[in-house]
Amino acid sequence: LAQSYLHSPQHLNTYVLPQFRHRLALMSKFNIPAGSKILELGCGQGETTLVLAHLVGPTGHITGVDPARLDYGHPITVSAARNHILSSPLGGRISFHATDPHTYLSTLPAGHNFDFIILSHSLWYFPSKATVLESLTALRPYAPKLLVAEYSFEGTLKEQQPHVLAARCQAVFYDAKNPVQRAATEPNVRAAPAPAEVKEMAGRAGWGVVKGREGMVTPGEDVKDGQWEV
């Protein structure tokens, strides 16, 4: 997986491997069958996309959709990261679309379906909670199952509290901005719904929670996401 992901060699042990261990732990909880066809929303530079491609095997396919600008990211841009993935041994199982969910769905032929739709570490970055609800509603006809993995805002360890507070602050500050200020803001944590809010919105959109299929995965101490937000 690391070889299929574009990175600076000095970051392999500090950033890349911890991220892939975390995403493998998350996605393995979903028990995704080989050969599955998956729509991943908010795919970013493709870390989870690669893990999913690995899990579905050569007969599966992952469609990654994300509206981020292709020149976004430093030192590696979204475009460079995705091109590297597509040229890797797993690239034949993946397609990327640089657009928002609604625009992508409008391009699908009638009756097109996926086995799963996945939102993994992406809901925090939606423009608003209203957009989250709109997307969950629009997605309902396209797959029988929706898989969601997101930070919980329920960090119980002392080391987790700064991550929770930093993300909440970013969401509050963004919400307080006027439309002009929002347009000038680099997209980062914005909607940041808590798990209870996600479940409530999913219910309003027509999704139900499968009994016994909720759970928590604690990231390893070497995952840097919390430090970056702080």
Side-chain angles (χ1 to χ4, degrees):
L1 290 173
Q3 290 174 347
S4 297
Y5 185 72
L6 186 60
H7 62 274
S8 301
Q10 66 267 30
H11 293 157
L12 177 64
N13 293 313
T14 53
Y15 300 124
V16 179
L17 294 182
Q19 286 286 343
F20 279 119
R21 281 192 289 265
H22 172 54
R23 282 164 169 75
L24 276 167
L26 276 180
M27 296 302 108
S28 295
K29 293 292 184 182
F30 289 135
N31 297 320
I32 298 169
S36 295
K37 307 298 187 290
I38 296 175
L39 172 62
E40 182 197 1
L41 296 184
C43 61
Q45 292 194 340
E47 297 99 321
T48 299
T49 316
L50 278 170
V51 170
L52 292 170
H54 165 69
L55 293 176
V56 301
T59 61
H61 190 82
I62 314 301
T63 301
V65 175
D66 195 302
R69 299 192 327 266
L70 293 178
D71 61 353
Y72 179 80
H74 178 80
I76 296 170
T77 65
V78 169
S79 178
R82 292 180 186 174
N83 287 337
H84 184 83
I85 287 173
L86 294 176
S87 65
S88 76
L90 294 173
R93 310 174 190 179
I94 295 169
S95 58
F96 288 115
H97 300 269
T99 186
D100 63 88
H102 295 280
T103 301
Y104 173 73
L105 293 175
S106 70
T107 68
L108 295 178
H112 186 93
N113 287 100
F114 299 91
D115 297 308
F116 302 96
I117 296 171
I118 286 187
L119 292 153
S120 177
H121 289 319
S122 61
L123 288 175
W124 277 17
Y125 308 100
F126 274 57
S128 66
K129 291 175 183 176
T131 307
V132 173
L133 176 58
E134 291 168 4
S135 296
L136 293 175
T137 303
L139 291 168
R140 188 65 192 90
Y142 293 95
K145 292 185 178 180
L146 175 70
L147 310 177
V148 180
E150 191 53 88
Y151 286 117
S152 69
F153 281 133
E154 298 172 10
T156 55
L157 302 178
K158 180 180 179 181
E159 294 80 6
Q160 294 170 333
Q161 292 302 316
H163 186 195
V164 172
L165 294 173
R168 283 179 167 168
C169 283
Q170 289 185 70
V172 169
F173 288 146
Y174 180 80
D175 194 52
K177 293 179 178 181
N178 62 44
V180 175
Q181 292 171 324
R182 289 185 180 187
T185 301
E186 182 177 275
N188 196 36
V189 176
R190 296 182 287 180
E197 293 176 302
V198 176
K199 288 169 63 178
E200 189 274 334
M201 288 188 285
R204 289 164 61 189
W207 301 94
V209 178
V210 178
K211 186 177 181 180
R213 296 299 294 131
E214 295 179 81
M216 288 280 219
V217 174
T218 301
E221 293 182 1
D222 51 0
V223 175
K224 305 296 184 183
D225 291 35
Q227 295 179 26
W228 291 333
E229 301 304 347
V230 174

